[in-house]
Amino acid sequence: MPLSGFHPAVASWFARTFGDPTPPQVEGWPAIREGKHTLIASPTGSGKTLAAFLCAIDELIQRGLAEGLEDHVSVLYVSPLKALSNDIEKNLQAPLEGIRATLSELGYDDVEIRTAVRTGDTPSHIRTKMVKKPPRTVIVDEIHAVVTNKRGAHLALSLERLEALVGREITRIGLSATQNPIEDVARFLVGERGSGRDDCPGCRIVDVGHQRDMDLGVELPGSPLETVMSLEVWEEIYAKLAALIEAHQTTLIFVNTRRLAERVTRHLSELIGEEAITSHHGSLARAHRLDAERRLKSGELRAVVATASLELGIDVGDVDLVCQLGSPHSVASFLQRVGRSGHWHGGTPKGRLFPMSRDDLVECAALMRCVQRGELDRIEIPEGPLDILAQQVVASSAATDEWSEDALLALVRRAWPYRELSEETFGKVLNVLSEGFATSRGRRGAFLHHDEVNRVGSVNEDFAIESMAGDIFQLGNVSYRILRVEPGVLRVADAKGQPPMLPFWFGEAPSRADLLSSSVNAIRGGIDERHRNVEEVVDWLQVETGIGRLAAQQVAEYLVASRMALGTMPTRETVVLERFFDETGAMHLVVHSPFGSRVNRAWGLALRKRFCRSFNVELQAAATEDAIVLSLGPTHSFPLEDVFKFLRAENVRDVLVQALFDAPMFQTRWRWNAPARALLPRSGGLSRKRRR
């Protein structure tokens, strides 16, 4: 019996509240109760969070009744979102209160278990009140959201530092949407001890699968999609969204950029009323975000337009429908977002996908094909980011009297992303930290102070620099008039509903995942084989992707026409060069290469560098998910096939590095990474930095 090992009060409360346990609970509880490191991977809404917490609560109840509880932290819960941590604290109150009431009913003594939250929003005076004794168990929620980026590297090092502080092994419990391969997520969770073995030693993987019955569909405007959507087509999209919102109780609308979130919110508020909809994204102040979450959960809002800020498991009540505007460029992200609807055991998620252009429609068809085939993106864990390492080295030195280099390197190598860190690289990081960095005025550093008190939200510095007093912009559903622009601060006042400009935010739209690019390539290849018969292509697309006939018709007509115009179908195996001249006589070169924008950006930068060297002229370059465009002007002519000779395997890396030095992204990325590497401290306070 799944509940047989729990205390009677815990088992009784669970049975009365939930009935039968879910698969991740049944399979996860035995390993967790034995103290094993455990990774639970299952779809959203399947009860995996309670699977982790119930064991911890039960252990505290039994220990409290037997010997009493000491006043210290026993369980540390880590999540990638402040809102999710706040949610968990609130949602823990029900089981804690219910179990304490059941203890009383069954005649047991009371056991008091307290919770507290610490995030970037927590005031310092509250932080100091929190108990500092280290925990025995760590629960890492939504681990898939950090494992593929630098936040994951930061977490991995923090877990190893915590274990060093405790002086013994801590039980690690990871909660994840299913990832591919899930074994890599498990190795990330347990650290270097997971090296060299396929079965991930010491970690029990509970993978109940990622596929659920879903109600999915592709929504198209009445007018055919083009390369860029016209205002008229946008109006059709807004009308369809408004109708879907009216037909459902609660709707989440996901977009890929914060700018688009504000734009869609503004237009939909004119159709369904400002009181019925708002936006939710990371640039909004905490109060705005919490208010949006509260109003959505209480039923005051009919819809929320969000970026990835609501992608994870925040409790916003029962959501009936999820709409995704434009491809999210990742199968996992799409499934995670759609899974926010029907977010209860036995519920059926419902999602509608709105392509934004003809190319986006092809990608959406490829996405639906992956979902139909049960395919998931393959995760890529960053290998040892040095800016994060530098930050953690400084933190370790500040928190401890001293570290020897060998001991600190050994600790760092226990974190999975740094398992292969060399002594040479580690030594270089220590040198940068101890010696600073050189500028034209000597060796020095810059200090920044970012005041987060009473802030409405944040906008990109480019927006602030280009703004003037009197300009109006929008955050959420509220428009603000700029009073004055100061260093690091934009002073604003309520514009009383006047029509706004729209702000730009610091960040990047996501690039298409490699799996999705492979699926796009498969669709192109399948159409290439059948291009002589459009109806055959349409029928094949419907079977292959599951999209409706109207969407399949548009994909078929678009790609068959492209194939006829180019003489062949651009694929990963067949890259096509196309040259055309505009009305001014300027020449433009298109490299049709459906490798995704990450590859195409790098390829485009390197090609641009070679063109600049060859013709001694600056030129425009751009990259999309399926092509690279180089604008060369009216004065240059060359055989088209020579472009394939510009870059070779043996020189492309060097050319790309040189191109990056000249590109604006180099300076921008340096500014992003420098604070993390402690080159630009984020506060005026000094901390101890020792090297031994």
Side-chain angles (χ1 to χ4, degrees):
M1 296 295 291
L3 292 167
S4 60
F6 288 93
H7 187 275
V10 176
S12 176
W13 170 83
F14 184 94
R16 285 187 298 183
T17 306
F18 299 103
D20 294 331
T22 62
Q25 293 166 348
V26 172
E27 296 183 36
W29 281 336
I32 296 173
R33 298 188 64 219
E34 292 173 18
K36 293 181 179 179
H37 303 306
T38 306
L39 175 65
I40 301 178
S42 65
T44 183
S46 58
K48 55 181 176 286
T49 305
L50 186 58
F53 270 112
L54 197 68
C55 288
I57 293 172
D58 180 72
E59 195 273 335
L60 290 172
I61 291 292
Q62 301 209 35
R63 182 152 50 92
L65 291 172
E67 58 193 50
L69 295 178
E70 298 179 16
D71 190 13
H72 69 78
V73 176
S74 292
V75 181
L76 175 65
Y77 169 84
V78 182
S79 85
L81 272 183
K82 301 173 187 175
L84 188 53
S85 295
N86 291 325
D87 257 3
I88 292 299
E89 186 199 26
K90 289 185 293 186
N91 291 336
L92 275 176
Q93 296 307 313
L96 290 177
E97 293 172 2
I99 290 171
R100 290 178 70 180
T102 308
L103 282 171
S104 177
E105 292 174 13
L106 298 179
Y108 292 96
D109 293 335
D110 186 29
V111 178
E112 182 184 6
I113 301 173
R114 299 193 304 274
T115 62
V117 174
R118 173 171 174 163
T119 71
D121 293 326
T122 305
S124 58
H125 71 279
I126 295 180
R127 297 186 190 194
T128 58
K129 293 182 180 179
M130 293 185 178
V131 180
K132 296 182 179 179
K133 293 184 180 179
R136 301 150 64 106
T137 301
V138 174
I139 299 173
V140 183
D141 203 355
E142 307 283 7
I143 191 172
H144 61 277
V146 298
V147 71
T148 58
N149 55 50
K150 290 183 179 181
R151 296 175 73 194
H154 197 293
L155 172 64
L157 285 172
S158 296
L159 290 176
E160 297 305 332
R161 287 179 54 209
L162 178 63
E163 197 160 277
L165 178 65
V166 174
R168 58 172 176 75
E169 195 170 276
I170 296 177
T171 301
R172 305 183 187 190
I173 303 171
L175 308 176
S176 173
T178 299
Q179 300 292 295
N180 176 34
I182 195 63
E183 291 78 12
D184 282 359
V185 181
R187 293 186 181 96
F188 174 90
L189 175 67
V190 301
E192 184 273 339
R193 60 177 63 85
S195 296
R197 293 274 301 279
D198 292 337
D199 58 353
C200 195
C203 183
R204 167 73 186 280
I205 299 175
V206 177
D207 186 2
V208 299
H210 68 278
Q211 290 184 291
R212 300 171 65 185
D213 290 334
M214 289 186 171
D215 178 359
L216 301 178
V218 175
E219 294 282 345
L220 295 176
S223 304
L225 290 169
E226 298 292 339
T227 304
V228 178
M229 285 215 301
S230 65
L231 292 176
E232 292 77 11
V233 176
W234 269 114
E235 293 300 327
E236 294 176 11
I237 293 290
Y238 294 139
K240 278 208 166 191
L241 286 170
L244 287 171
I245 292 170
E246 292 295 337
H248 295 82
Q249 188 66 32
T250 307
T251 301
L252 278 183
I253 301 170
F254 282 103
V255 296
N256 293 333
T257 66
R258 298 170 183 181
R259 177 177 174 84
L260 185 56
E262 295 296 337
R263 176 182 175 184
V264 172
T265 301
R266 175 169 173 76
H267 283 276
L268 287 178
S269 66
E270 296 173 355
L271 296 177
I272 66 173
E274 290 187 3
E275 71 287 346
I277 188 170
T278 192
S279 61
H280 188 289
H281 55 72
S283 284
L284 290 172
R286 177 175 180 263
H288 287 262
R289 299 194 309 269
L290 291 178
D291 183 62
E293 294 161 19
R294 178 193 62 79
R295 293 167 62 201
L296 185 63
K297 186 174 182 179
S298 67
E300 297 175 43
L301 290 173
R302 298 294 304 277
V304 168
V305 184
T307 56
S309 59
L310 284 181
E311 182 176 301
L312 302 182
I314 301 173
D315 183 13
V316 291
D318 294 341
V319 175
D320 304 301
L321 174 68
V322 168
C323 296
Q324 169 69 47
L325 297 192
S327 168
H329 304 313
S330 162
V331 177
S333 292
F334 180 65
L335 294 177
Q336 182 78 14
R337 292 177 179 185
V338 173
R340 301 298 284 124
S341 62
H343 192 257
W344 55 87
H345 185 49
T348 300
K350 184 177 183 180
R352 295 295 181 264
L353 191 55
F354 286 76
M356 299 285 98
S357 67
R358 292 181 300 185
D359 286 316
D360 196 44
L361 174 58
V362 176
E363 186 173 320
C364 289
L367 190 154
M368 297 291 282
R369 174 180 179 270
C370 291
V371 172
Q372 187 165 282
R373 294 162 64 96
E375 296 175 340
L376 275 179
D377 316 292
R378 186 178 181 88
I379 63 168
E380 295 181 9
I381 301 175
E383 291 291 333
L386 299 183
D387 50 349
I388 302 302
L389 172 61
Q391 183 183 136
Q392 290 275 9
V393 166
V394 171
S396 298
S397 301
T400 309
D401 286 340
E402 61 183 28
W403 276 95
S404 71
E405 290 186 22
D406 290 343
L408 189 54
L409 176 58
L411 180 145
V412 168
R413 283 175 172 170
R414 287 199 290 271
W416 182 258
Y418 298 92
R419 65 197 180 281
E420 296 180 354
L421 180 70
S422 68
E423 291 185 24
E424 179 185 7
T425 301
F426 184 66
K428 289 179 179 179
V429 172
L430 295 183
N431 285 335
V432 171
L433 292 174
S434 59
E435 298 175 11
F437 60 98
T439 70
S440 58
R441 299 180 181 179
R443 305 196 74 83
R444 56 176 297 187
F447 294 87
L448 300 176
H449 178 69
H450 193 175
D451 184 6
E452 301 235 0
V453 179
N454 298 322
R455 195 178 69 178
V456 173
S458 61
V459 295
N460 192 355
E461 61 184 339
D462 293 337
F463 177 81
I465 291 170
E466 296 172 2
S467 298
M468 299 176 60
D471 286 350
I472 297 173
F473 68 98
Q474 178 174 324
L475 279 172
N477 283 355
V478 181
S479 56
Y480 296 92
R481 177 183 289 105
I482 296 176
L483 301 179
R484 59 184 181 274
V485 182
E486 301 174 357
V489 179
L490 211 61
R491 303 290 181 185
V492 300
D494 192 337
K496 309 296 184 183
Q498 294 188 43
M501 306 157 47
L502 290 172
F504 293 88
W505 283 281
F506 189 73
E508 295 179 313
S511 298
R512 186 166 72 198
D514 186 64
L515 171 66
L516 208 46
S517 289
S518 296
S519 188
V520 168
N521 194 61
I523 286 177
R524 287 172 173 265
I527 292 177
D528 188 36
E529 295 174 6
R530 303 166 175 83
H531 73 276
R532 292 179 179 83
N533 188 328
V534 175
E535 286 304 311
E536 181 184 351
V537 172
V538 173
D539 293 340
W540 176 79
L541 278 171
Q542 289 186 90
V543 173
E544 185 73 7
T545 67
I547 61 176
R549 187 167 188 83
L550 179 59
Q553 187 80 34
Q554 290 196 35
V555 171
E557 291 174 354
Y558 172 48
L559 289 183
V560 168
S562 299
R563 201 255 182 229
M564 298 301 291
L566 294 172
T568 188
M569 179 70 76
T571 64
R572 287 184 161 193
E573 295 75 32
T574 306
V575 174
V576 179
L577 298 180
E578 177 187 5
R579 176 167 48 191
F580 68 93
F581 298 85
D582 62 24
E583 61 275 7
T584 68
M587 191 188 82
H588 304 270
L589 176 66
V590 181
V591 183
H592 295 275
S593 51
F595 291 94
S597 61
R598 290 186 66 190
V599 172
N600 285 345
R601 284 174 189 162
W603 191 358
L605 277 171
L607 274 178
R608 180 180 181 274
K609 188 68 175 178
R610 291 310 304 266
F611 270 104
C612 291
R613 286 179 176 176
S614 300
F615 298 106
N616 193 28
V617 64
E618 291 296 319
L619 54 87
Q620 300 286 328
T624 68
E625 304 291 352
D626 297 304
I628 305 164
V629 181
L630 299 170
S631 301
L632 295 117
T635 58
H636 304 291
S637 180
F638 54 89
L640 200 56
E641 58 271 17
D642 285 358
V643 177
F644 286 119
K645 304 174 184 176
F646 278 16
L647 295 170
R648 303 184 306 277
E650 57 269 22
N651 73 352
V652 65
R653 180 180 177 85
D654 292 337
V655 175
L656 179 57
V657 168
Q658 292 302 314
L660 284 170
F661 283 146
D662 297 332
M665 73 173 67
F666 179 79
Q667 291 88 346
T668 302
R669 290 284 185 176
W670 191 91
R671 290 209 321 270
W672 293 0
N673 292 337
R677 194 178 283 197
L679 296 179
L680 299 177
R682 291 182 242 191
S683 67
L686 297 177
S687 59
R688 180 170 64 252
K689 306 176 183 68
R690 287 190 182 181
R691 181 182 177 196
R692 184 182 177 187

